[in-house]
Amino acid sequence: MTRVELRSPIRLYWDISPQPRVAPDYGRISAQVAVSRVLSLNLADLGPSLNHATLLVLRDLSLPQLSLTVSAAALQQALVLPEMEKVQKLLVDCAHAGEVEVAGIALLARSDKPGGISFRVSRGNLADLPTVAAWCERHRVELVLPMERLVTGEESLCLDRQEQAELSGRLAAACSLEALSVTIHDPFLWRIFHPRVPFPDGVCQAANTMLYVDPLGDVYPCPTMPVRLGSLLKQSWHEIVASGDKQEVRRRILALPAACSGCGRQADCRGGCRGRGYAGCKEWDDADPGCGETPGAE
Amino acid sequence: MQKIQRNPDVLWREEEGAREEALAGLDRGEDAAEVGTALLFANGQMLVLNMLGADIWQSCEGKSVDELVAGLLEEYEVDEAVLRADVTAFLAELAGKGFIRYA
């Protein structure tokens, strides 16, 4: 067997910053998540220093796997935290190649745990990606290309087929992609890095293996899908996980978008990033604009 | 004889109520092979296991294939050759994904 629809997620992405005026009850959420049998928590605090809330969550929540993403400015603080004992992987959020080098060297010098670079790819820093990948490969540091936060209004990166091919060529020229440890959530970025390897996640896993909690305590299928499933200020984690709204999102995701019908690549991409497809016009039948295909073309 | 070692980085959990569901299906004469009762997760890859797969995963650590098959024969009413073939194929899949290794 390979995949099924799960009753509760195994991966939780939780952004702590920026801190809202009315903060969620971090202790209550942590307690509820702890008993929900989530296996992996990816906590992100990208403020200039680590938030008290992050420390609370790290203190209260024990899960089999916990990763923390911090800003480059907060890296030194994170490295000496006693709470880091519980963090299996420390990632540093970087915006450009220069920052990667500085943060990466600090990470290599001080951390006794696996670390990595979290590089939020955008139009503004796309040209840096081959340099960043080469640096990570050379220093055996994991590169993570995090999911786009379309839920919080981030602009999505959509490359056409020619741009994808050019980037693929520049990456292959810059480093050994086989030797690079890279985590990619976007099926089309995956194809750029691994043109001949099918995307391992298969169909979009939003609201199935993963859920996302934003800084306000609102729960979404994933960071890229702006469909609010509930609020942890008003509902329990269990209520949201078991909700009809979540099941409806899965029903929608499992049906391929109408805009993709007839496309020869749909068996491979399975509709791509469904959050990005939905985000534009709030239509489930829209194609993922990140796929780069021209509608109607083979 | 080589022993099986589970990759300690693989996360896993049993799915709530799924084993009971599979056993109830077996009682009704249904095929339980497609009922996922546990899952493994590592490096972004998830593998859903049926009841036999879950039992293999939970009992394979430190055993040879022969020892594993002998133990499972006490639990499952099945021909040894059939079971051995299923176990061998499943272990090959686990090894291919890096979820186990032999030492």
Side-chain angles (χ1 to χ4, degrees):
Chain A
M1 297 189 69
T2 50
R3 291 193 180 280
V4 288
E5 295 300 300
L6 303 181
R7 289 180 186 157
S8 64
I10 55 175
R11 293 184 278 178
L12 168 60
Y13 294 83
W14 189 355
D15 288 353
I16 295 287
S17 61
Q19 272 286 284
R21 199 168 47 81
V22 180
D25 182 341
Y26 299 102
R28 185 175 65 86
I29 298 172
S30 296
Q32 292 175 357
V33 168
V35 297
S36 76
R37 307 172 79 232
V38 165
L39 294 176
S40 160
L41 169 64
N42 299 271
L43 196 64
D45 180 350
L46 305 187
S49 62
L50 287 178
N51 201 288
H52 180 61
T54 300
L55 306 185
L56 278 179
V57 173
L58 289 177
R59 189 196 64 196
D60 289 351
L61 191 50
S62 290
L63 293 174
Q65 191 175 72
L66 207 160
S67 77
L68 173 66
T69 307
V70 301
S71 68
L75 175 59
Q76 295 299 337
Q77 181 194 2
L79 286 170
V80 296
L81 276 180
E83 288 84 354
M84 284 302 294
E85 277 291 307
K86 293 169 74 176
V87 175
Q88 276 94 21
K89 189 190 291 181
L90 178 63
L91 299 171
V92 190
D93 174 68
C94 294
H96 54 81
E99 200 170 40
V100 167
E101 190 156 343
V102 173
I105 287 168
L107 198 63
L108 287 169
R110 298 284 302 275
S111 181
D112 55 350
K113 291 173 183 293
I117 298 296
S118 176
F119 191 69
R120 284 182 284 166
V121 193
S122 67
R123 280 273 169 203
N125 64 15
L126 189 62
D128 282 3
L129 187 54
T131 309
V132 170
W135 192 92
C136 289
E137 188 247 321
R138 197 164 57 248
H139 293 87
R140 298 179 186 277
V141 168
E142 182 182 358
L143 172 62
V144 176
L145 305 182
M147 283 179 275
E148 293 176 324
R149 266 47 179 178
L150 301 190
V151 159
T152 55
E154 199 174 285
E155 196 177 334
S156 83
L157 173 69
C158 299
L159 304 177
D160 63 31
R161 295 288 291 165
Q162 188 180 342
E163 290 173 313
Q164 290 177 15
E166 284 170 6
L167 181 56
S168 197
R170 286 196 287 120
L171 281 163
C175 63
S176 163
L177 293 175
E178 289 75 24
L180 174 68
S181 170
V182 58
T183 299
I184 303 173
H185 301 279
D186 181 316
F188 302 112
L189 278 176
W190 174 272
R191 190 185 287 169
I192 289 168
F193 277 75
H194 308 289
R196 283 172 290 281
V197 183
F199 184 54
D201 259 2
V203 71
C204 168
Q205 290 298 308
N208 186 36
T209 63
M210 76 171 93
L211 283 176
Y212 167 69
V213 179
D214 79 355
L216 299 169
D218 287 335
V219 180
Y220 294 86
C222 87
T224 311
M225 185 172 281
V227 179
R228 200 174 75 118
L229 298 174
S231 165
L232 289 167
L233 295 182
K234 299 169 189 158
Q235 297 159 275
S236 71
W237 174 257
H238 177 74
E239 281 173 324
I240 296 170
V241 166
S243 69
D245 286 353
K246 176 172 162 288
Q247 289 168 27
E248 175 63 9
V249 165
R250 282 311 294 169
R251 192 183 68 77
R252 296 284 194 168
I253 287 172
L254 291 171
L256 280 174
C260 297
S261 79
C263 174
R265 288 174 163 259
Q266 65 169 256
D268 172 34
C269 78
R270 310 285 299 275
C273 171
R274 298 301 303 278
R276 196 164 45 204
Y278 178 85
C281 299
K282 308 291 184 283
E283 287 288 343
W284 290 106
D285 275 330
D286 283 352
D288 174 1
C291 86
E293 297 289 337
T294 306
E298 277 300 311
Chain B
M1 185 72 77
Q2 286 196 311
K3 305 286 186 181
I4 300 161
Q5 285 186 344
R6 297 195 324 199
N7 179 342
D9 293 334
V10 175
L11 306 178
W12 71 281
R13 79 176 186 196
E14 287 190 280
E15 293 304 275
E16 234 169 347
R19 178 173 282 265
E20 291 73 18
E21 192 184 310
L23 289 170
L26 282 174
D27 285 345
R28 293 191 298 269
E30 296 167 5
D31 182 5
E34 291 303 310
V35 180
T37 66
L39 61 85
L40 310 182
F41 179 67
N43 299 323
Q45 290 189 89
M46 185 175 78
L47 183 66
V48 178
L49 311 181
N50 59 22
M51 209 163 60
L52 175 61
D55 285 344
I56 292 172
W57 175 256
Q58 289 182 69
S59 56
C60 70
E61 178 69 20
K63 290 184 181 158
S64 67
V65 175
D66 286 347
E67 289 166 342
L68 179 60
V69 170
L72 290 165
L73 273 172
E74 293 175 12
E75 304 292 325
Y76 288 85
E77 287 179 31
V78 62
D79 180 72
E80 181 176 346
V82 173
L83 182 63
R84 183 175 292 277
D86 284 350
V87 169
T88 305
F90 179 62
L91 290 174
E93 184 180 3
L94 292 180
K97 291 181 184 296
F99 289 0
I100 60 163
R101 67 187 187 98
Y102 294 91

